[in-house]
Amino acid sequence: MEEEASPPGLGCSKPHLEKLTLGITRILESSPGVTEVTIIEKPPAERHMISSWEQKNNCVMPEDVKNFYLMTNGFHMTWSVKLDEHIIPLGSMAINSISKLTQLTQSSMYSLPNAPTLADLEDDTHEASDDQPEKPHFDSRSVIFELDSCNGNGKVCLVYKSGKPALAEDTEIWFLDRALYWHFLTDTFTAYYRLLITHLGLPQWQYAFTSYGISPQAKPKGSEGRSKGCF
């Protein structure tokens, strides 16, 4: 089935889309200056697709992730703002489809002889602490799948913390920044999905969960107060 973009306002007229977006469609559409609120509607995944993914990767998919894919095989919602006569794309919320829920590979990062792999870049200096769980590992100690490429600003990952065979209860959601440092986001996919919606898909919002925060260039004026005030 070919993906089609839903026209603005469709989230308000289709109950399953309204449920999927937690009502954010209405909030965005009623916000001054916001335009072109668009959802790329995707059909639900079939159960055999989930079973195939689990068998292929030797991982048990968490129940909340399964339930998400049984509602929609991936998610992509965007919105823009109008400044003067110009339409500027701003918000983007995305979750990869099952076919793109792929494991981060340990192959060479560069197509050069003896180039380093992700495992070669492993840094064990920052382990678990009272306020931070043990970070994922690029080697066989963890199994890591990409949920969102964050438009090139990093990767949000579903991480199995105990290697293979991987159990659903061993999963967490982490953000891998462009410098290949890990930052903990949430214990569950459901909690992460709510974070995604709450932050409206603003550029680089994941960096709010890092020690260095969102860059000044990526932080729209008043966006922090506006996003907090919406929920």
Side-chain angles (χ1 to χ4, degrees):
M1 177 177 176
E2 193 171 317
E3 296 174 353
E4 295 182 355
S6 303
L10 188 58
C12 299
S13 60
K14 288 197 174 184
H16 70 286
L17 289 180
E18 182 75 358
K19 181 179 179 182
L20 183 65
T21 61
L22 305 180
I24 193 63
T25 308
R26 295 177 185 273
I27 295 173
L28 285 170
E29 290 178 340
S30 63
S31 300
V34 173
T35 186
E36 297 185 356
V37 181
T38 304
I39 303 172
I40 298 178
E41 194 171 359
K42 300 171 184 279
E46 298 180 10
R47 289 189 179 274
H48 73 82
M49 297 168 66
I50 295 173
S51 299
S52 296
W53 184 91
E54 290 180 321
Q55 292 173 6
K56 175 183 176 182
N57 294 289
N58 197 17
C59 297
V60 178
M61 187 178 286
E63 283 301 314
D64 55 355
V65 181
K66 287 182 184 179
N67 291 336
F68 172 82
Y69 282 123
L70 291 172
M71 182 182 292
T72 175
N73 189 8
F75 176 67
H76 192 195
M77 181 176 179
T78 60
W79 55 275
S80 302
V81 293
K82 188 173 184 179
L83 296 177
D84 298 325
E85 298 303 315
H86 302 286
I87 304 296
I88 301 173
L90 186 60
S92 178
M93 292 162 263
I95 301 289
N96 284 340
S97 64
I98 289 180
S99 64
K100 294 183 179 179
L101 187 62
T102 54
Q103 188 174 348
L104 291 189
T105 64
Q106 299 178 28
S107 60
S108 292
M109 297 179 64
Y110 313 98
S111 55
L112 298 171
N114 302 318
T117 66
L118 288 174
D120 292 330
L121 300 176
E122 188 73 44
D123 177 10
D124 285 328
T125 58
H126 301 288
E127 291 301 333
S129 62
D130 291 339
D131 58 348
Q132 184 85 344
E134 181 181 353
K135 68 179 180 61
H137 299 280
F138 292 121
D139 56 25
S140 59
R141 286 174 288 178
S142 302
V143 189
I144 304 165
F145 297 92
E146 181 182 317
L147 284 169
D148 179 12
S149 62
C150 306
N151 292 321
N153 292 311
K155 296 180 185 296
V156 172
C157 298
L158 173 68
V159 178
Y160 289 81
K161 301 295 291 291
S162 302
K164 293 185 178 182
L167 304 177
E169 57 267 27
D170 290 333
T171 56
E172 294 171 346
I173 308 296
W174 287 72
F175 175 60
L176 179 66
D177 69 21
R178 293 182 65 183
L180 301 181
Y181 286 105
W182 288 105
H183 309 275
F184 177 75
L185 292 178
T186 67
D187 288 316
T188 66
F189 174 80
T190 298
Y192 167 71
Y193 186 77
R194 289 184 177 275
L195 277 183
L196 174 66
I197 298 295
T198 300
H199 286 83
L200 310 177
L202 288 166
Q204 300 182 32
W205 70 264
Q206 297 88 355
Y207 282 86
F209 293 84
T210 69
S211 59
Y212 27 90
I214 301 173
S215 68
Q217 295 85 354
K219 187 184 292 184
K221 283 187 178 181
S223 64
E224 182 176 348
R226 184 163 64 245
S227 63
K228 286 182 179 178
C230 289
F231 296 87

